[in-house]
Amino acid sequence: MNPEARRLVDRLWTYCNVLRDDGVSSLEYLEQLSFLVFLKMAHEVEELNAYISDPSEHQHILPTTPEWQRRGWRELVDVDGEPLEKAYTALLTDLGHRAPEGEETTLSLIFNRARNRIENAANLRRLVSDLINKEKWYGSRTDIKGAAYEALIARSAEDTKAGAGQYFTPRVLIESIVRCMRPTPYDTITDPACGTGGFLLAAYAYILSEYAKDDIPDDVYERLRTGGIWGTEIVPSTARLAAMNMLLHNLGDPTGKPLIKVGDALAKPPSDLASVVLANPPFGRKSSLAITGVGKKDSGDREDIAYHRPDFWLGEQTTTNKQFNFLQHIGTLLTDRGRAAVILPDNVLFEGGKDSAGAQIRRELLTNYRLHTMLRLPAGIFYAGGVKANVLFFDAVPDHREESDSPRTDRLWIYDLRTGNRFTLKQNPLRPEHLADFEKRAFSPEDPDHSHREESERFRVYETGPLLSDPAVNLDIGLIDPATSDSVSIPELTASVASDLRAALSEIEAFAEELGVDLTMAPED
């Protein structure tokens, strides 16, 4: 990390520790930091306008109506105590009104239903004057402000009590996946479960590192920056962080269309397709809603309200397994020659027997898509402890396929990074060198169509025919030591349940926030 960015992270994170004593969690601190940094950036833009004589060339982030004259950051820096708290609360309230449908902007997304969670006026004063006001945000280099914000998100992921880790995928893994996918400026890139935007930012950073700015036509770059990369996030507070994260990395515009869509990506067919999909869907096993094609329920699933998704692979059959539904959704998101990389837990590879939803989905993936590579990940790299996961790399194949035609997947290559490897988040974290052999063997730049791959102890190939002849289409294969994929242990089961509970709590809190209900209020006797 840039030394200047590290300095900024250390200053801001130290203050997070101070606010914890006031009951402000790390995620809540990041949210408040986002509000204040946004207001400071708006102020810096107005300061720059003072040096531009032509008003038509002025930029504005906050509203420009008469009642907004002299409002914003200047309301906060010259006061303290109760007037500061009132001014900040009023700003958030006035900026937090929901924008009319179709008129949403990055600003309206970030401030939607915003609330002041820093009740100690003295601490708010220190945050405004001693930290935010002394830094340049709008004019500072992206690698400083963006990297600092990303690092703060990474540190907040360690706050397991707040459930922050569920939104965080290890950046080492994200960057490796992006290097394998090799996105270009001409791609459209999305993540349907984007969390704080890690995959989207890594894809953008990769493009900027691989292509000189002069080699990208202005219109192509502007399309990429303002709409070619987007994500969907179901939790409003997390979507807020993602939008701010993108903005600090120069993706999107404050007054432009938001690049983060707030809502359930599974609720309806996608309105926009992408040539690259990168995702790590939530690890919980069940969704509170079934996703349906026509209406016939999969045995054992709950009789819940159902979405109508006739575009899903299952047709009349349904499942409440979120990973299966995200996998189908990602398939529908891809353009004709689109490509995807998705992180999924082990159960997706084997769950269900003959004719089950899982078997049908795996069969569809092998038959009508090109599932060319699978990376079997070791335990200990996610904040949800004990999770065993895999990265599935697959491509959409254009043109209609007849039932008599050969499967789109002719061979499946599997790399075992799991056997013999055990990582921890702090003492022995996953590092780039651990993924170097996989990247070299599976995604060599000299072998773009994967036609010259060679087997090794960890990297082996499997013919599709035998896989499809199995009624359950079991893909739990490719490990040097199959014992590393045994049934779920008690610690893993406990971690899975805890992850589900954290996810459910987050959704309840988000719903309560939408309704304006304060969950911290104790019920009366």
Side-chain angles (χ1 to χ4, degrees):
M1 183 190 299
N2 181 292
E4 183 65 13
R6 187 176 300 279
R7 177 197 64 81
L8 184 56
V9 169
D10 290 342
R11 289 191 68 206
L12 293 174
W13 190 254
T14 297
Y15 206 69
C16 176
N17 294 328
V18 173
L19 292 179
R20 274 205 188 94
D21 294 337
D22 290 337
V24 180
S25 73
S26 59
L27 280 177
E28 289 173 335
Y29 171 62
L30 269 178
E31 182 181 63
Q32 300 301 305
L33 190 64
S34 300
F35 298 151
L36 292 168
V37 167
F38 195 102
L39 292 169
K40 177 62 161 52
M41 288 171 62
H43 178 66
E44 291 175 8
V45 167
E46 295 299 336
E47 288 182 321
L48 291 174
N49 286 340
Y51 296 95
I52 302 174
S53 58
D54 185 354
S56 66
E57 297 181 4
H58 288 185
Q59 298 183 58
H60 303 283
I61 294 180
L62 296 185
T64 57
T65 53
E67 61 267 25
W68 276 92
Q69 297 299 312
R70 301 188 62 79
R71 293 208 65 186
W73 187 252
R74 67 184 70 190
E75 292 183 80
L76 307 181
V77 293
D78 297 327
V79 294
D80 55 20
E82 186 176 349
L84 171 60
E85 185 180 352
K86 287 184 176 180
Y88 181 48
T89 300
L91 267 176
L92 296 186
T93 300
D94 293 342
L95 288 169
H97 295 302
R98 185 184 297 274
E101 187 173 353
E103 298 180 18
E104 297 93 346
T105 64
T106 304
L107 181 147
S108 66
L109 169 58
I110 290 176
F111 285 96
N112 182 36
R113 297 184 181 271
R115 294 174 56 194
N116 174 21
R117 302 190 186 274
I118 306 176
E119 298 179 354
N120 186 315
N123 283 340
L124 179 59
R125 171 67 180 173
R126 287 181 59 193
L127 184 58
V128 169
S129 299
D130 297 344
L131 291 178
I132 307 299
N133 198 50
K134 291 183 178 179
E135 302 290 342
K136 288 290 185 182
W137 293 90
Y138 188 82
S140 66
R141 287 161 41 195
T142 300
D143 65 334
I144 294 176
K145 62 187 181 184
Y149 196 78
E150 271 281 280
L152 287 171
I153 291 174
R155 291 197 185 185
S156 75
E158 300 173 10
D159 186 357
T160 54
K161 291 181 179 179
Q166 67 179 300
Y167 305 115
F168 190 81
T169 305
R171 292 303 179 252
V172 168
L173 179 58
I174 284 178
E175 290 168 359
S176 176
I177 291 171
V178 168
R179 284 193 296 271
C180 293
M181 295 292 286
R182 298 192 186 93
T184 76
Y186 300 91
D187 278 312
T188 48
I189 304 165
T190 193
D191 180 348
C194 71
T196 56
F199 266 123
L200 305 175
L201 293 169
Y204 183 59
Y206 175 87
I207 292 170
L208 295 185
S209 68
E210 292 295 311
Y211 296 83
K213 183 69 181 299
D214 294 341
D215 293 338
I216 306 176
D218 291 344
D219 61 328
V220 173
Y221 174 72
E222 194 61 16
R223 178 205 61 82
L224 180 73
R225 194 185 71 81
T226 61
I229 299 177
W230 75 94
T232 304
E233 171 54 43
I234 193 172
V235 180
S237 58
T238 308
R240 200 193 314 274
L241 297 182
M244 192 69 195
N245 203 7
M246 302 268 280
L247 196 62
L248 289 173
H249 284 84
N250 198 35
L251 270 173
D253 291 320
T255 57
K257 177 184 176 182
L259 302 182
I260 305 298
K261 302 175 182 180
V262 184
D264 186 350
L266 302 177
K268 57 185 178 181
S271 56
D272 299 296
L273 302 183
S275 59
V276 173
V277 178
L278 306 163
N280 179 13
F283 281 158
R285 289 179 54 82
K286 294 289 183 181
S287 173
S288 59
L289 299 176
I291 314 299
T292 71
V294 176
K296 181 180 177 182
K297 298 291 292 178
D298 189 21
S299 61
D301 283 344
R302 295 169 48 187
E303 294 293 332
D304 288 326
I305 300 172
Y307 299 130
H308 182 58
R309 288 297 300 267
D311 57 327
F312 271 4
W313 304 341
L314 287 177
E316 293 187 3
Q317 194 173 10
T318 67
T319 176
T320 54
N321 183 297
K322 285 188 289 187
Q323 287 82 38
F324 283 144
N325 287 319
F326 265 107
L327 185 54
Q328 294 179 92
H329 179 70
I330 289 167
T332 70
L333 264 174
L334 291 173
T335 57
D336 280 350
R337 298 183 184 277
R339 54 203 194 278
V342 54
I343 302 172
L344 294 166
D346 273 13
N347 69 283
V348 171
L349 305 181
F350 59 80
E351 183 174 294
K354 178 183 179 181
D355 297 328
S356 67
Q360 291 188 52
I361 288 170
R362 291 188 291 271
R363 187 175 299 278
E364 173 74 15
L365 189 59
L366 290 171
T367 302
N368 289 318
Y369 291 79
R370 182 170 173 253
L371 176 61
H372 53 84
T373 311
M374 185 162 69
L375 170 63
R376 308 217 60 174
L377 295 169
I381 65 175
F382 296 101
Y383 283 92
V387 168
K388 291 180 178 178
N390 316 271
V391 187
L392 275 61
F393 296 86
F394 62 94
D395 302 336
V397 182
D399 302 326
H400 176 71
R401 178 188 168 276
E402 299 290 346
E403 286 295 325
S404 57
D405 292 344
S406 299
R408 302 293 198 190
T409 302
D410 54 355
R411 297 192 300 174
L412 170 60
W413 287 82
I414 301 178
Y415 189 98
D416 176 14
L417 188 63
R418 183 176 302 175
T419 302
N421 285 319
R422 180 73 185 186
F423 297 102
T424 59
L425 292 173
K426 292 185 178 180
Q427 283 77 20
N428 184 33
L430 183 70
R431 297 190 299 274
E433 54 265 33
H434 296 132
L435 292 155
D437 185 65
F438 166 70
E439 293 178 30
K440 179 180 178 181
R441 292 183 180 278
F443 292 93
S444 170
E446 288 75 36
D447 185 25
D449 61 355
H450 319 313
S451 60
H452 294 89
R453 287 173 166 177
E454 295 181 357
E455 287 190 287
S456 69
E457 182 184 17
R458 291 192 180 273
F459 195 37
R460 288 181 281 182
V461 64
Y462 295 81
E463 298 295 329
T464 304
L467 299 177
L468 289 173
S469 65
D470 173 10
V473 195
N474 186 356
L475 300 182
D476 188 19
I477 55 177
L479 296 175
I480 301 170
D481 179 7
T484 59
S485 190
D486 283 347
S487 58
V488 179
S489 66
I490 294 300
E492 289 167 349
L493 179 61
T494 302
S496 177
V497 171
S499 177
D500 283 354
L501 289 173
R502 285 195 296 268
L505 179 60
S506 295
E507 293 183 15
I508 291 170
E509 290 173 341
F511 184 59
E513 183 178 355
E514 289 291 307
L515 297 177
V517 176
D518 186 359
L519 295 179
T520 62
M521 296 179 61
E524 296 181 1
D525 294 333

